[in-house]
Amino acid sequence: MSVAPQAFSGNLKKAVAGIRRINLEGLRWRVFDAKGQVLGRLASQISTVVQGKDKPTYAPNRDDGDICVILNAKHIAVTGRKLTDKFYRWHTGYIGHLKERSLKDQMAKDPTEVIRKAVLRMLPRNKLRDDRDLKLRIFPDSEHPFGDKPLQPYVMPPRQVREMRPRARRAVIRAQKKADQQQQGVNKISKGKKRDETHNSQPTA
């Protein structure tokens, strides 16, 4: 993945907000390319890096996580029907003011919040959560204002497909045998019909 700096045309003030509050000494700048990645799998990797769990010096009471720059947030992928069936709900505080927004509408409004919510909901609910939130720099496109930083592309681990469980495997085998038996029965019936037709077509002496 290329991390070549590009001209940033977005809101620079919002993009660098809170950077001064972070102690950048000893931290790495990890770049995640969200294009084509599954939302939950990408968020789990980001939450691991932003907590510092990929370092041998990890401690749950220390905030040693790296800066995470996530690009191409609007090209994130989801599985199943989550695009229309997943909803974000919140309450304004007034009676009857329960609001909701589907994932599809949220992607159209602000795709960066989709990844931010997914990552924050994987983090522990403690005092370090707000500081880790500042380390998330999410951009809808490949443009970002951190081209002068020592960026390190993050390589997503290969997806491991779990083997089929024994019960499901047996069900598949039974279904396949049933389909084969039905096919054999159809073949026998068709052969029997052909035999009867040839017998009836023969002239009688």
Side-chain angles (χ1 to χ4, degrees):
M1 181 185 64
S2 177
V3 293
Q6 299 181 7
F8 183 68
S9 59
N11 189 345
L12 183 61
K13 184 177 180 180
K14 180 181 178 181
V16 300
I19 286 289
R20 295 181 180 180
R21 293 171 52 187
I22 305 174
N23 184 14
L24 301 177
E25 184 179 356
L27 300 185
R28 296 173 295 180
W29 291 75
R30 311 299 296 273
V31 181
F32 293 81
D33 188 3
K35 188 173 184 179
Q37 297 291 337
V38 179
L39 176 61
R41 298 179 184 278
L42 177 66
S44 63
Q45 297 296 322
I46 296 174
S47 63
T48 299
V49 174
V50 81
Q51 292 179 79
K53 282 190 172 183
D54 58 338
K55 297 181 178 180
T57 58
Y58 167 75
N61 63 326
R62 294 174 57 186
D63 186 21
D64 291 338
D66 297 325
I67 308 294
C68 296
V69 181
I70 300 97
L71 308 178
N72 298 315
K74 66 180 182 181
H75 299 297
I76 196 72
V78 291
T79 58
R81 302 185 219 174
K82 296 185 182 69
L83 202 61
T84 55
D85 291 358
K86 180 177 175 63
F87 286 90
Y88 298 97
R89 295 181 175 89
W90 69 98
H91 202 284
T92 62
Y94 291 92
I95 297 176
H97 281 234
L98 178 63
K99 306 293 184 179
E100 68 177 19
R101 183 181 295 146
S102 66
L103 177 59
K104 184 177 181 179
D105 295 338
Q106 183 63 47
M107 288 292 293
K109 182 178 178 63
D110 187 7
T112 62
E113 281 300 311
V114 174
I115 298 180
R116 186 180 303 277
K117 289 179 184 295
V119 174
L120 289 182
R121 291 174 182 180
M122 292 184 181
L123 298 179
R125 273 72 170 174
N126 53 26
K127 294 183 178 180
L128 300 178
R129 197 161 181 252
D130 293 337
D131 296 335
R132 289 166 176 167
D133 184 19
L134 291 177
K135 295 181 178 180
L136 296 177
R137 301 292 154 171
I138 310 173
F139 302 95
D141 297 309
S142 59
E143 299 178 356
H144 61 89
F146 305 116
D148 57 337
K149 304 295 183 181
L151 303 177
Q152 299 181 15
Y154 184 86
V155 180
M156 290 289 292
R159 181 176 178 180
Q160 297 180 355
V161 180
R162 186 178 60 183
E163 293 184 1
M164 189 179 298
R165 294 179 179 178
R167 186 175 181 181
R169 188 185 299 112
R170 289 195 297 268
V172 171
I173 294 174
R174 286 197 300 267
Q176 185 65 32
K177 286 183 178 179
K178 187 176 180 180
D180 294 341
Q181 290 174 359
Q182 291 178 352
Q183 184 65 28
Q184 290 176 2
V186 171
N187 294 336
K188 287 181 180 179
I189 292 174
S190 61
K191 289 180 180 179
K193 287 183 177 180
K194 289 182 179 179
R195 191 181 302 112
D196 294 341
E197 290 176 357
T198 54
H199 179 75
N200 295 332
S201 62
Q202 291 179 358
T204 58

